[in-house]
Amino acid sequence: MWAMRVKCVGAVEIVKEGKWVLKERNQADFCVAINDTKDGVFVNGKFCKDPKLATENDFFFSGLNIARSTSNPVGSVVTPANVAQIPGLNTLGISLVRIDYAPYGGLNPPHTHPRATEILTVLEGTLYVGFVTSNPDNRLITKVLNPGDVFVFPVGLIHFQFNVGKTKASAIGALSSQNPGVITIANAVFGSTPPIRSDVLAKAFQVDKNIVDYLQKQFWYDNN
């Protein structure tokens, strides 16, 4: 079996004599992701289905119109439509999420997408959103959004959304990767497996070790 991977938009690399060699252009229109390696081509973290075997269901997802329950500790839930749900997105560099927020403080906690910029459109409700720029400035940029408003979260930066209204809220986020990834800050720092040493975190946050011990014992909910 030979291997192929995406190098840039419209171009791929293939293995030739044990080395990755850049080809001018990917001759396929798409690369439907499959988990079975038999007769597959490895591209951008997924094996590709033979294009002749692709069907309409490889490019389809239903359900972003459905609001899901926000009865959880953070008061929000994320419904993704990425390569895991739509195999035909593989290598295409785009995906969607729907986010539902509970009234009176539903929060999509501070998090990052390591592989994608996000553009958020509010469908209903009122959201306080923001992101923090990188070191050394760590500048907080925020905005209150209403239905129809759009806001951009640059790739890799910590960002959040908070429902400041008295009613439920919802939004659609478009991301510049078929597999954007997500790192929820509190979960990663205080809920990692195995735990980060408490003396490391105590020094990093300049707090008493007992505070870190307390935070690490909490249940860190994943709304994704």
Side-chain angles (χ1 to χ4, degrees), residues 10-30:
V12 297
E13 286 183 329
I14 63 171
V15 173
K16 183 178 182 181
E17 297 178 354
K19 297 181 180 180
W20 289 105
V21 178
L22 182 67
K23 288 192 69 178
E24 290 184 1
R25 186 165 182 84
N26 184 359
Q27 299 301 312
D29 291 325
F30 47 79

PDB file of all heavy atoms in Angstrom, residues 10-30:
ATOM      1  N   GLY A  10      -4.736  21.740  -2.525  1.00  0.00           N
ATOM      2  CA  GLY A  10      -4.602  21.310  -3.904  1.00  0.00           C
ATOM      3  C   GLY A  10      -3.337  20.542  -4.201  1.00  0.00           C
ATOM      4  O   GLY A  10      -3.068  20.192  -5.340  1.00  0.00           O
ATOM      5  N   ALA A  11      -2.507  20.270  -3.198  1.00  0.00           N
ATOM      6  CA  ALA A  11      -1.265  19.546  -3.428  1.00  0.00           C
ATOM      7  C   ALA A  11      -1.107  18.474  -2.370  1.00  0.00           C
ATOM      8  O   ALA A  11      -1.596  18.590  -1.267  1.00  0.00           O
ATOM      9  CB  ALA A  11      -0.072  20.510  -3.399  1.00  0.00           C
ATOM     10  N   VAL A  12      -0.405  17.410  -2.738  1.00  0.00           N
ATOM     11  CA  VAL A  12      -0.192  16.317  -1.803  1.00  0.00           C
ATOM     12  C   VAL A  12       1.253  15.858  -1.889  1.00  0.00           C
ATOM     13  O   VAL A  12       1.989  16.204  -2.797  1.00  0.00           O
ATOM     14  CB  VAL A  12      -1.122  15.111  -2.104  1.00  0.00           C
ATOM     15  CG1 VAL A  12      -2.574  15.497  -1.950  1.00  0.00           C
ATOM     16  CG2 VAL A  12      -0.845  14.554  -3.499  1.00  0.00           C
ATOM     17  N   GLU A  13       1.665  15.055  -0.892  1.00  0.00           N
ATOM     18  CA  GLU A  13       2.950  14.383  -0.937  1.00  0.00           C
ATOM     19  C   GLU A  13       2.710  12.888  -1.021  1.00  0.00           C
ATOM     20  O   GLU A  13       1.773  12.371  -0.419  1.00  0.00           O
ATOM     21  CB  GLU A  13       3.781  14.701   0.312  1.00  0.00           C
ATOM     22  CG  GLU A  13       4.345  16.111   0.319  1.00  0.00           C
ATOM     23  CD  GLU A  13       5.224  16.353   1.538  1.00  0.00           C
ATOM     24  OE1 GLU A  13       4.941  15.746   2.585  1.00  0.00           O
ATOM     25  OE2 GLU A  13       6.176  17.126   1.429  1.00  0.00           O
ATOM     26  N   ILE A  14       3.549  12.187  -1.755  1.00  0.00           N
ATOM     27  CA  ILE A  14       3.484  10.741  -1.804  1.00  0.00           C
ATOM     28  C   ILE A  14       4.843  10.180  -1.413  1.00  0.00           C
ATOM     29  O   ILE A  14       5.868  10.880  -1.441  1.00  0.00           O
ATOM     30  CB  ILE A  14       3.089  10.235  -3.203  1.00  0.00           C
ATOM     31  CG1 ILE A  14       4.156  10.628  -4.242  1.00  0.00           C
ATOM     32  CG2 ILE A  14       1.732  10.755  -3.600  1.00  0.00           C
ATOM     33  CD1 ILE A  14       3.943   9.974  -5.583  1.00  0.00           C
ATOM     34  N   VAL A  15       4.860   8.900  -1.013  1.00  0.00           N
ATOM     35  CA  VAL A  15       6.112   8.235  -0.689  1.00  0.00           C
ATOM     36  C   VAL A  15       6.749   7.730  -1.971  1.00  0.00           C
ATOM     37  O   VAL A  15       6.129   7.007  -2.742  1.00  0.00           O
ATOM     38  CB  VAL A  15       5.871   7.063   0.288  1.00  0.00           C
ATOM     39  CG1 VAL A  15       7.154   6.277   0.468  1.00  0.00           C
ATOM     40  CG2 VAL A  15       5.383   7.577   1.620  1.00  0.00           C
ATOM     41  N   LYS A  16       7.999   8.136  -2.182  1.00  0.00           N
ATOM     42  CA  LYS A  16       8.750   7.663  -3.332  1.00  0.00           C
ATOM     43  C   LYS A  16      10.151   7.319  -2.866  1.00  0.00           C
ATOM     44  O   LYS A  16      10.874   8.178  -2.348  1.00  0.00           O
ATOM     45  CB  LYS A  16       8.805   8.737  -4.422  1.00  0.00           C
ATOM     46  CG  LYS A  16       9.524   8.276  -5.697  1.00  0.00           C
ATOM     47  CD  LYS A  16       9.489   9.368  -6.754  1.00  0.00           C
ATOM     48  CE  LYS A  16      10.152   8.909  -8.040  1.00  0.00           C
ATOM     49  NZ  LYS A  16      10.149   9.967  -9.070  1.00  0.00           N
ATOM     50  N   GLU A  17      10.503   6.049  -2.997  1.00  0.00           N
ATOM     51  CA  GLU A  17      11.811   5.559  -2.564  1.00  0.00           C
ATOM     52  C   GLU A  17      12.071   5.926  -1.106  1.00  0.00           C
ATOM     53  O   GLU A  17      13.159   6.372  -0.729  1.00  0.00           O
ATOM     54  CB  GLU A  17      12.914   6.129  -3.468  1.00  0.00           C
ATOM     55  CG  GLU A  17      12.777   5.669  -4.915  1.00  0.00           C
ATOM     56  CD  GLU A  17      13.841   6.275  -5.813  1.00  0.00           C
ATOM     57  OE1 GLU A  17      14.607   7.129  -5.332  1.00  0.00           O
ATOM     58  OE2 GLU A  17      13.898   5.878  -6.984  1.00  0.00           O
ATOM     59  N   GLY A  18      11.007   5.772  -0.281  1.00  0.00           N
ATOM     60  CA  GLY A  18      11.162   5.995   1.154  1.00  0.00           C
ATOM     61  C   GLY A  18      11.148   7.440   1.587  1.00  0.00           C
ATOM     62  O   GLY A  18      11.331   7.744   2.758  1.00  0.00           O
ATOM     63  N   LYS A  19      10.908   8.373   0.661  1.00  0.00           N
ATOM     64  CA  LYS A  19      10.901   9.793   1.002  1.00  0.00           C
ATOM     65  C   LYS A  19       9.585  10.424   0.564  1.00  0.00           C
ATOM     66  O   LYS A  19       8.965   9.996  -0.405  1.00  0.00           O
ATOM     67  CB  LYS A  19      12.064  10.521   0.322  1.00  0.00           C
ATOM     68  CG  LYS A  19      13.437  10.042   0.767  1.00  0.00           C
ATOM     69  CD  LYS A  19      14.528  10.823   0.059  1.00  0.00           C
ATOM     70  CE  LYS A  19      15.912  10.349   0.493  1.00  0.00           C
ATOM     71  NZ  LYS A  19      16.987  11.102  -0.196  1.00  0.00           N
ATOM     72  N   TRP A  20       9.172  11.490   1.309  1.00  0.00           N
ATOM     73  CA  TRP A  20       7.980  12.247   0.917  1.00  0.00           C
ATOM     74  C   TRP A  20       8.333  13.184  -0.235  1.00  0.00           C
ATOM     75  O   TRP A  20       9.257  13.975  -0.152  1.00  0.00           O
ATOM     76  CB  TRP A  20       7.461  13.066   2.099  1.00  0.00           C
ATOM     77  CG  TRP A  20       6.836  12.221   3.170  1.00  0.00           C
ATOM     78  CD1 TRP A  20       7.370  11.898   4.374  1.00  0.00           C
ATOM     79  CD2 TRP A  20       5.558  11.586   3.123  1.00  0.00           C
ATOM     80  NE1 TRP A  20       6.518  11.094   5.086  1.00  0.00           N
ATOM     81  CE2 TRP A  20       5.383  10.897   4.347  1.00  0.00           C
ATOM     82  CE3 TRP A  20       4.530  11.521   2.180  1.00  0.00           C
ATOM     83  CZ2 TRP A  20       4.244  10.169   4.642  1.00  0.00           C
ATOM     84  CZ3 TRP A  20       3.395  10.796   2.481  1.00  0.00           C
ATOM     85  CH2 TRP A  20       3.260  10.120   3.691  1.00  0.00           C
ATOM     86  N   VAL A  21       7.607  13.066  -1.323  1.00  0.00           N
ATOM     87  CA  VAL A  21       7.868  13.872  -2.513  1.00  0.00           C
ATOM     88  C   VAL A  21       6.602  14.653  -2.850  1.00  0.00           C
ATOM     89  O   VAL A  21       5.502  14.089  -2.926  1.00  0.00           O
ATOM     90  CB  VAL A  21       8.269  12.981  -3.706  1.00  0.00           C
ATOM     91  CG1 VAL A  21       8.498  13.841  -4.939  1.00  0.00           C
ATOM     92  CG2 VAL A  21       9.508  12.162  -3.362  1.00  0.00           C
ATOM     93  N   LEU A  22       6.724  15.962  -3.088  1.00  0.00           N
ATOM     94  CA  LEU A  22       5.577  16.813  -3.386  1.00  0.00           C
ATOM     95  C   LEU A  22       5.107  16.610  -4.817  1.00  0.00           C
ATOM     96  O   LEU A  22       5.877  16.686  -5.760  1.00  0.00           O
ATOM     97  CB  LEU A  22       5.950  18.289  -3.185  1.00  0.00           C
ATOM     98  CG  LEU A  22       4.821  19.305  -3.428  1.00  0.00           C
ATOM     99  CD1 LEU A  22       3.750  19.131  -2.341  1.00  0.00           C
ATOM    100  CD2 LEU A  22       5.372  20.726  -3.404  1.00  0.00           C
ATOM    101  N   LYS A  23       3.803  16.320  -4.962  1.00  0.00           N
ATOM    102  CA  LYS A  23       3.188  16.288  -6.282  1.00  0.00           C
ATOM    103  C   LYS A  23       2.526  17.627  -6.554  1.00  0.00           C
ATOM    104  O   LYS A  23       2.186  18.367  -5.645  1.00  0.00           O
ATOM    105  CB  LYS A  23       2.142  15.167  -6.350  1.00  0.00           C
ATOM    106  CG  LYS A  23       2.716  13.773  -6.385  1.00  0.00           C
ATOM    107  CD  LYS A  23       1.647  12.755  -6.746  1.00  0.00           C
ATOM    108  CE  LYS A  23       1.215  12.904  -8.172  1.00  0.00           C
ATOM    109  NZ  LYS A  23       0.215  11.910  -8.588  1.00  0.00           N
ATOM    110  N   GLU A  24       2.308  17.912  -7.815  1.00  0.00           N
ATOM    111  CA  GLU A  24       1.781  19.221  -8.176  1.00  0.00           C
ATOM    112  C   GLU A  24       0.351  19.405  -7.694  1.00  0.00           C
ATOM    113  O   GLU A  24      -0.005  20.470  -7.220  1.00  0.00           O
ATOM    114  CB  GLU A  24       1.846  19.404  -9.696  1.00  0.00           C
ATOM    115  CG  GLU A  24       3.266  19.557 -10.207  1.00  0.00           C
ATOM    116  CD  GLU A  24       3.273  19.838 -11.693  1.00  0.00           C
ATOM    117  OE1 GLU A  24       2.175  19.931 -12.288  1.00  0.00           O
ATOM    118  OE2 GLU A  24       4.357  19.973 -12.270  1.00  0.00           O
ATOM    119  N   ARG A  25      -0.462  18.398  -7.820  1.00  0.00           N
ATOM    120  CA  ARG A  25      -1.869  18.590  -7.483  1.00  0.00           C
ATOM    121  C   ARG A  25      -2.529  17.250  -7.176  1.00  0.00           C
ATOM    122  O   ARG A  25      -2.227  16.233  -7.778  1.00  0.00           O
ATOM    123  CB  ARG A  25      -2.614  19.289  -8.627  1.00  0.00           C
ATOM    124  CG  ARG A  25      -4.060  19.644  -8.248  1.00  0.00           C
ATOM    125  CD  ARG A  25      -4.649  20.632  -9.230  1.00  0.00           C
ATOM    126  NE  ARG A  25      -5.996  20.985  -8.830  1.00  0.00           N
ATOM    127  CZ  ARG A  25      -6.297  21.912  -7.935  1.00  0.00           C
ATOM    128  NH1 ARG A  25      -5.330  22.573  -7.341  1.00  0.00           N
ATOM    129  NH2 ARG A  25      -7.540  22.186  -7.628  1.00  0.00           N
ATOM    130  N   ASN A  26      -3.429  17.289  -6.199  1.00  0.00           N
ATOM    131  CA  ASN A  26      -4.228  16.108  -5.892  1.00  0.00           C
ATOM    132  C   ASN A  26      -5.250  15.901  -7.006  1.00  0.00           C
ATOM    133  O   ASN A  26      -6.049  16.782  -7.296  1.00  0.00           O
ATOM    134  CB  ASN A  26      -4.943  16.327  -4.556  1.00  0.00           C
ATOM    135  CG  ASN A  26      -5.709  15.107  -4.115  1.00  0.00           C
ATOM    136  OD1 ASN A  26      -5.734  14.105  -4.800  1.00  0.00           O
ATOM    137  ND2 ASN A  26      -6.326  15.213  -2.952  1.00  0.00           N
ATOM    138  N   GLN A  27      -5.200  14.730  -7.631  1.00  0.00           N
ATOM    139  CA  GLN A  27      -6.087  14.489  -8.770  1.00  0.00           C
ATOM    140  C   GLN A  27      -7.511  14.117  -8.358  1.00  0.00           C
ATOM    141  O   GLN A  27      -8.403  14.076  -9.193  1.00  0.00           O
ATOM    142  CB  GLN A  27      -5.494  13.385  -9.649  1.00  0.00           C
ATOM    143  CG  GLN A  27      -4.134  13.737 -10.234  1.00  0.00           C
ATOM    144  CD  GLN A  27      -4.185  14.985 -11.085  1.00  0.00           C
ATOM    145  OE1 GLN A  27      -5.055  15.127 -11.935  1.00  0.00           O
ATOM    146  NE2 GLN A  27      -3.269  15.910 -10.863  1.00  0.00           N
ATOM    147  N   ALA A  28      -7.720  13.821  -7.079  1.00  0.00           N
ATOM    148  CA  ALA A  28      -9.061  13.473  -6.606  1.00  0.00           C
ATOM    149  C   ALA A  28      -9.830  14.724  -6.211  1.00  0.00           C
ATOM    150  O   ALA A  28      -9.259  15.708  -5.770  1.00  0.00           O
ATOM    151  CB  ALA A  28      -8.964  12.525  -5.414  1.00  0.00           C
ATOM    152  N   ASP A  29     -11.157  14.673  -6.367  1.00  0.00           N
ATOM    153  CA  ASP A  29     -12.011  15.794  -5.975  1.00  0.00           C
ATOM    154  C   ASP A  29     -12.197  15.858  -4.470  1.00  0.00           C
ATOM    155  O   ASP A  29     -12.494  16.924  -3.923  1.00  0.00           O
ATOM    156  CB  ASP A  29     -13.390  15.664  -6.630  1.00  0.00           C
ATOM    157  CG  ASP A  29     -13.334  15.867  -8.138  1.00  0.00           C
ATOM    158  OD1 ASP A  29     -12.514  16.697  -8.587  1.00  0.00           O
ATOM    159  OD2 ASP A  29     -14.099  15.203  -8.843  1.00  0.00           O
ATOM    160  N   PHE A  30     -12.059  14.719  -3.797  1.00  0.00           N
ATOM    161  CA  PHE A  30     -12.290  14.662  -2.357  1.00  0.00           C
ATOM    162  C   PHE A  30     -11.592  13.435  -1.799  1.00  0.00           C
ATOM    163  O   PHE A  30     -11.053  12.602  -2.541  1.00  0.00           O
ATOM    164  CB  PHE A  30     -13.799  14.612  -2.048  1.00  0.00           C
ATOM    165  CG  PHE A  30     -14.562  13.616  -2.885  1.00  0.00           C
ATOM    166  CD1 PHE A  30     -14.531  12.269  -2.588  1.00  0.00           C
ATOM    167  CD2 PHE A  30     -15.308  14.043  -3.971  1.00  0.00           C
ATOM    168  CE1 PHE A  30     -15.218  11.344  -3.350  1.00  0.00           C
ATOM    169  CE2 PHE A  30     -16.014  13.126  -4.750  1.00  0.00           C
ATOM    170  CZ  PHE A  30     -15.965  11.768  -4.440  1.00  0.00           C
TER     171      PHE A  30
END
